[in-house]
Amino acid sequence: MNNNIYFTPGPSELYPTVPQHLQEALAQKIGSISHRSKQFQEIYASAEAGLRQLLQLPDEYEVLFLSSATEIWERAVQNNVRRESFHLVNGSFSKRFYETAQELGREAQQHTVPFGQGFDTASIKVPASAELVALIQNETSSGACMPVEEINQFRAKSPAEALIYVDAVSSLPYPAFDYAKVDSVYFSVQKCFGLPAGLGVWLVNDRCMAKARELQELGLSTGSYHTLPSLLEKALSHQTVETPNVLNIYLLSKVLEDMNSKGIEAIRKETEAKAAKIYTYLESSSVFSPAVENPQHRSNTTIVANSTVPASEVNKHLAAFNMQVGSGYGKYKESQIRIANFPAHSPEQVDRLLEKLQDQFR
Ligand SMILES: *Cc1c(COP(=O)(O)O)cnc(C)c1O
């Protein structure tokens, strides 16, 4: 039996209702049903409707299921970039999207700021030739976030034809996006949706679809089985191209029902209240300090702290109380800790984590 509470930034603690949904899935033999059955179409439709309600997603957006956010980076480049993309880079995940574009032979430009910093939107010039502008709402490696009001400025700053992409992998459903001001938002379910890994969700509008068709009409490759037009064709009948992660789509549909009955406003308020407590502790502690200096660029969902005690020592202390935080990312493995503050983490669990940290690391 594993009684740990995972405050790791993904995979993380499962949403509290997942065990009961998983049992029901086994009872219903969801793992055995055909992905061409009416039952699966209903599961897809339910997950899609749940997301539309929770995120207040406009009609011109499609909900597509892929295997991961990493896959979405590759499909985005293949389907929406003929020559050139432009990336805001401030950590490992935003850098990886930039590198993916290069690996696929595109001309990728980047605007970089040091690890742990947010962006000064006013000073960023988007190249006139950029076809895709890659923004990162929440850089999980460093804990820096991009306020939605700044994301909303990019349409006016970018070429008229450019598609605005937002990585919200470790923050959705927390940010209240204005979906009319961007073209695509994507996430994977093992972060804030509290599910096992293995499902990426790609929200794309009609402009992204039109661009993919344009590239195809020019005779250019947009990839193989997961081109946007083939994903769309299946999505319209609530199906997928390949045999998908049916179990996880089912679990997502159920967790979305739970999140919708709690209400997005309650989820957002609770996230902010828990984050405020965590930052208050980090600022008062002599061992930890918030890694992101500008309070406006501090993430509320993946909270990163500099630590004078090795992260492994912090986790050794927490292990006695069946809790675990994330270590730092990459070269910050021991010098930083990362605390996930996802909807799955109850206020009581956060209180207990802070109490146990405070006992040892004042
Ligand atoms: C986790 C993460 C990804 C990658 O997600 P996968 O599901 O592992 O492909 C991308 N971007 C950010 C910001 C992430 O936190």
Side-chain angles (χ1 to χ4, degrees):
M1 186 76 187
N2 176 347
N3 291 317
N4 277 347
I5 305 290
Y6 287 86
F7 289 93
T8 45
S12 194
E13 197 58 19
L14 297 183
Y15 201 70
T17 53
V18 169
Q20 116 208 6
H21 296 316
L22 201 45
Q23 283 206 322
E24 183 60 20
L26 292 173
Q28 301 290 337
K29 298 193 110 179
I30 295 298
S32 305
I33 67 168
S34 164
H35 60 298
R36 299 292 173 228
S37 64
K38 185 160 178 289
Q39 193 183 356
F40 174 71
Q41 288 175 302
E42 286 166 2
I43 290 170
Y44 189 131
S46 161
E48 178 184 340
L51 266 179
R52 287 191 186 280
Q53 182 184 344
L54 190 73
L55 305 180
Q56 285 131 13
L57 195 65
D59 289 346
E60 64 271 20
Y61 274 80
E62 293 298 331
V63 175
L64 306 173
F65 294 115
L66 290 88
S67 66
S68 64
T70 303
E71 186 194 355
I72 293 168
W73 288 332
E74 177 157 309
R75 304 303 169 218
V77 172
Q78 289 174 320
N79 284 271
N80 283 165
V81 184
R82 182 178 182 186
R83 290 198 193 88
E84 191 174 327
S85 55
F86 177 65
H87 303 253
L88 267 53
V89 174
N90 63 346
S92 309
F93 291 99
S94 43
K95 182 160 173 244
R96 193 70 197 102
F97 192 4
Y98 163 76
E99 290 169 347
T100 300
Q102 288 186 315
E103 285 163 5
L104 290 169
R106 294 339 187 250
E107 187 85 27
Q109 310 289 339
Q110 60 175 331
H111 170 91
T112 52
V113 300
F115 189 86
Q117 288 188 19
F119 299 99
D120 173 27
T121 301
S123 72
I124 299 174
K125 290 221 167 18
V126 180
S129 43
E131 301 161 74
L132 183 157
V133 178
L135 308 180
I136 181 147
Q137 200 280 323
N138 198 70
E139 177 48 84
T140 318
S141 62
S142 74
C145 76
M146 197 166 175
V148 172
E149 312 79 69
E150 294 189 25
I151 289 172
N152 291 347
Q153 292 170 29
F154 274 82
R155 177 80 82 208
K157 292 170 76 72
S158 304
E161 303 285 294
L163 301 171
I164 313 290
Y165 265 71
V166 183
D167 181 333
V169 175
S170 56
S171 55
L172 263 187
Y174 171 65
F177 290 118
D178 181 345
Y179 289 89
K181 295 211 161 79
V182 299
D183 299 294
S184 176
V185 178
Y186 55 95
F187 63 91
S188 26
V189 299
Q190 77 275 19
K191 312 274 168 96
C192 294
F193 286 85
L195 290 167
L199 185 66
V201 181
W202 191 7
L203 311 174
V204 280
N205 70 8
D206 46 345
R207 298 177 81 230
C208 298
M209 289 295 172
K211 174 82 183 200
R213 282 191 208 100
E214 186 189 312
L215 297 189
Q216 288 191 342
E217 278 157 19
L218 289 167
L220 301 168
S221 168
T222 51
S224 58
Y225 71 111
H226 271 175
T227 66
L228 273 179
S230 52
L231 285 160
L232 175 66
E233 188 198 323
K234 288 294 182 191
L236 291 177
S237 58
H238 297 121
Q239 290 191 18
T240 53
V241 176
E242 80 293 24
T243 320
N245 190 339
V246 177
L247 177 61
N248 229 350
I249 298 172
Y250 171 85
L251 294 174
L252 176 63
S253 76
K254 292 295 168 187
V255 163
L256 283 165
E257 283 174 15
D258 302 329
M259 287 185 169
N260 277 315
S261 49
K262 179 164 184 166
I264 189 66
E265 280 317 313
I267 292 172
R268 286 178 179 147
K269 282 214 180 84
E270 194 174 280
T271 301
E272 285 166 5
K274 290 182 297 169
K277 279 189 180 176
I278 297 170
Y279 280 116
T280 300
Y281 162 65
L282 295 175
E283 284 186 314
S284 72
S285 159
S286 60
V287 172
F288 303 115
S289 56
V292 177
E293 262 173 47
N294 182 344
Q296 285 182 322
H297 292 156
R298 285 180 190 162
S299 168
N300 276 340
T301 54
T302 60
I303 296 169
V304 181
N306 294 323
S307 177
T308 57
V309 169
S312 53
E313 291 296 316
V314 176
N315 269 326
K316 211 174 281 172
H317 167 70
L318 290 174
F321 309 100
N322 292 314
M323 289 188 283
Q324 187 182 335
V325 295
S327 56
Y329 198 91
K331 68 176 179 187
Y332 301 92
K333 187 173 172 53
E334 289 292 9
S335 59
Q336 294 190 331
I337 59 165
R338 294 182 299 154
I339 304 174
N341 175 34
F342 295 161
H345 300 110
S346 71
E348 294 72 29
Q349 288 169 339
V350 170
D351 286 346
R352 189 172 145 78
L353 172 71
L354 295 180
E355 184 191 308
K356 295 305 170 193
L357 284 173
Q358 207 143 24
D359 283 349
Q360 188 75 4
F361 311 109
R362 298 197 151 267

